[in-house]
Amino acid sequence: MRADLISSVVVFLVALPLCVGIAVASGVPAELGLVTGIVGGIVTGFLPGSSLQVSGPAAGLTVLILEAVNEYGVGALGVFVLIAGVLQLAMGALKLGRWFRAISISVVEGMLAGIGLVLIAGQLYALADAKAPGSGPANLAGLPGLVMRTAGSPEALTALGLGAGTVAAMALWKHLPQKVRVVPAPLAAVALATALVAVFQLPVKRVEVKGLLGSIQPPSLDDVSGLLSVGAIGTVLAITLIASAESLFSAAAVDRLHNGPGTDYDKELMAQGAGNTICGALGALPMTAVIVRSAANVQAGARTKASRVLHGVWLLLFAALFPAALGLIPVASLAGILVFSGWKLIPVQQLAPLWREHRGEALVLIATAVAIVVTNMFEGVIIGLLLAVAKTAWETSHVHVRVEDRGAAPEHRREVAGSVLESAKAGREGASGQEAPADGGRPATDGGTPVTDGPPLRVVISGNATFLRLPRILDTLEALPTDRPIELDLLDLRHLDHACHTALLNWTERHNNQEGDARVLMPTAA
């Protein structure tokens, strides 16, 4: 119990500034971030699934929630989160939690990188106490103007100094002595910035305080009626999928940090769904399992669920007893924390090795991140998933086509696909304006001697014959002479899809109609 008590205090100190900062960055009252943290601790913390990971508002959903609040209003947020929670409960009940492990890691990392980029672009404005234009492209396009306005405003420069100092403190904290690092970096950075503002009465924006009960806004029927649109449905699905994926990936990471019982993914998904259902009913932010808080919990020596439940109790006591303390925190300092968090979401160090070893995965990662910045969260993730599926389909459809001329002398027998294709190309060039060969453009073997009837050409196709590789297969077959017997060997194929099967049968029929002789060797299963 002593270990869990100490761990709960550490997690509370880490979670407090993050809950407030994420709420402010999401465009909702700061207290709603604390509500989500409280529910994540006291409700989700009691439920089965993962024993040591901690739930609460996450930076990964900040961009999506801000877009939703700007478009549909704060009142609609509770509806979105409530429906997402119900969907998570249903997916957990249907045993779909384990299937989230099948999502391509490059898509997940690309999603996080895109979130990080958009988060940084938006919070750069908050660093200077300015309002961001809105979308990712607009935020990026407005950065030059932001620099000009900040340079001419002493108040903006003061806020920027506080925010930049917070980022520097977060980055350098791990290099300080162990005794100093007992205090979590986010708390220390915010406390230092708050003290400077209070002592020197700096003219910067501070967090607006409404009180815990005053901030809770349960959804009403009016909020539900205006959300029957494609955009609103897409937002709900995006919240559901991203929150679920982030929670379950976090669970897998936390399991590697301790030797206790592993996560039951379906039960964890239901626990997250129960928490989000309650958060939605209270009009609060959506929750996910958060790796930063979870890692702090494990590293502080937590043994049971009591640590994460107690961290929720401490958040509740703080929000109830010291709500005015939130009004002392400068917004620029919270923005600095989120800029640093956004940078941590971008896999900068892993990108170069990934590019060298798995270039296709790196391209999917980059494309997903760029798509999120250019479009929005939901469309960007869908684009990333489609690219990952297309990449996998292309890589698994490797096919080898080998053409053997059995009439050649043993020392000259070799793969003749290249020469056949070159001859066909020459024949096509003759037909396009040059004098065509007397035999109607039939390809010639090495040396230019016309091909005549003789021993069969053997075409061996192996691997996976799918529609993606069909052009290559047909190019080879159509370049073969029409007056030679051809033996098409498909016995080594591991997979033959319907498109290829139909195309090969059609080619065989055409070849035989041209007074050729094609024989197909095909597995019985095909």
Side-chain angles (χ1 to χ4, degrees):
M1 190 62 191
R2 179 177 178 274
D4 287 333
L5 182 62
I6 294 173
S7 299
S8 70
V9 174
V10 172
V11 177
F12 159 70
L13 295 176
V14 172
L16 178 61
L18 291 175
C19 289
V20 176
I22 291 169
V24 173
S26 300
V28 301
E31 291 86 351
L32 290 183
L34 294 176
V35 171
T36 301
I38 293 166
V39 175
I42 297 177
V43 177
T44 306
F46 266 122
L47 298 176
S50 175
S51 58
L52 295 181
Q53 77 170 353
V54 182
S55 300
L61 286 170
T62 301
V63 176
L64 180 61
I65 298 305
L66 179 62
E67 293 176 354
V69 169
N70 288 338
E71 185 169 355
Y72 302 102
V74 178
L77 178 60
V79 180
F80 290 150
V81 179
L82 177 61
I83 298 175
V86 172
L87 291 176
Q88 286 181 311
L89 284 169
M91 290 191 297
L94 294 173
K95 307 294 184 183
L96 299 180
R98 67 196 69 180
W99 288 100
F100 278 87
R101 292 179 290 178
I103 298 177
S104 170
I105 190 64
S106 59
V107 175
V108 176
E109 291 183 346
M111 177 190 74
L112 295 177
I115 292 169
L117 291 172
V118 178
L119 186 60
I120 291 172
Q123 292 305 302
L124 287 177
Y125 290 84
L127 283 177
D129 280 352
K131 182 176 178 57
S135 64
N139 290 343
L140 292 174
L143 289 178
L146 174 67
V147 172
M148 298 297 294
R149 292 192 301 272
T150 303
S153 172
E155 293 80 7
L157 288 173
T158 302
L160 180 61
L162 281 174
T166 301
V167 175
M170 293 281 292
L172 298 175
W173 198 254
K174 62 182 179 181
H175 300 293
L176 297 179
Q178 178 66 37
K179 293 181 179 180
V180 177
R181 286 188 282 120
V182 171
V183 180
L187 181 67
V190 170
L192 180 60
T194 302
L196 290 174
V197 171
V199 171
F200 295 101
Q201 292 296 303
L202 299 178
V204 296
K205 289 184 180 179
R206 306 185 190 190
V207 175
E208 295 182 5
V209 178
K210 295 184 178 180
L212 188 62
L213 295 178
S215 299
I216 294 176
Q217 300 178 11
S220 63
L221 293 178
D222 293 336
D223 297 322
V224 178
S225 59
L227 300 180
L228 298 178
S229 65
V230 176
I233 294 172
T235 299
V236 170
L237 293 177
I239 293 174
T240 304
L241 295 177
I242 294 171
S244 301
E246 188 169 344
S247 295
L248 298 181
F249 281 120
S250 173
V254 173
D255 284 347
R256 293 193 292 267
L257 298 178
H258 65 87
N259 298 322
T263 298
D264 184 317
Y265 288 88
D266 297 318
K267 291 182 178 179
E268 178 62 23
L269 188 56
M270 294 189 72
Q272 295 294 324
N276 275 320
T277 301
I278 295 176
C279 285
L282 297 175
L285 293 171
M287 75 166 58
T288 73
V290 187
I291 187 61
V292 174
R293 275 162 259 185
S294 302
N297 189 40
V298 175
Q299 293 165 1
R303 296 290 183 269
T304 69
K305 297 177 182 179
S307 61
R308 60 185 191 177
V309 174
L310 285 173
H311 117 275
V313 173
W314 308 143
L315 287 174
L316 176 59
L317 291 175
F318 178 87
L321 300 178
F322 309 105
L326 297 178
L328 303 176
I329 301 175
V331 173
S333 179
L334 297 176
I337 290 178
L338 293 178
V339 166
F340 184 79
S341 299
W343 176 255
K344 298 290 286 185
L345 292 175
I346 304 173
V348 177
Q349 296 180 347
Q350 293 85 357
L351 190 57
L354 186 64
W355 180 264
R356 290 193 300 266
E357 299 172 10
H358 304 283
R359 187 157 298 181
E361 295 290 332
L363 289 174
V364 171
L365 188 157
I366 295 171
T368 304
V370 172
I372 288 175
V373 173
V374 173
T375 59
N376 55 54
M377 182 75 64
F378 183 70
E379 293 178 6
V381 172
I382 294 299
I383 291 172
L385 289 173
L386 293 176
L387 288 175
V389 171
K391 168 189 163 295
T392 302
W394 179 260
E395 289 182 345
T396 56
S397 64
H398 284 305
V399 66
H400 302 281
V401 183
R402 187 174 73 254
V403 182
E404 300 173 351
D405 188 352
R406 292 188 169 185
E411 62 272 15
H412 296 297
R413 286 184 182 179
R414 59 183 180 86
E415 296 183 11
V416 298
S419 62
V420 169
L421 287 172
E422 289 297 325
S423 301
K425 180 180 179 182
R428 287 193 296 269
E429 290 175 352
S432 64
Q434 300 178 7
E435 184 177 353
D439 62 353
R442 292 173 182 169
T445 58
D446 295 342
T449 304
V451 178
T452 59
D453 294 339
L457 291 173
R458 181 181 179 85
V459 181
V460 181
I461 303 178
S462 58
N464 299 296
T466 69
F467 70 95
L468 294 173
R469 303 291 182 169
L470 188 55
R472 177 189 174 190
I473 296 173
L474 291 180
D475 282 346
T476 302
L477 294 177
E478 292 170 354
L480 297 174
T482 59
D483 59 351
R484 289 280 299 272
I486 294 175
E487 186 177 89
L488 186 57
D489 186 349
L490 307 180
L491 296 175
D492 291 335
L493 279 177
R494 293 189 296 270
H495 176 70
L496 177 66
D497 71 2
H498 181 263
C500 281
H501 181 267
T502 303
L504 291 176
L505 292 181
N506 290 339
W507 173 84
T508 303
E509 184 178 354
R510 288 197 309 272
H511 185 79
N512 291 336
N513 289 339
Q514 295 172 347
E515 299 183 355
D517 180 17
R519 186 165 66 95
V520 180
L521 302 178
M522 188 177 296
T524 305

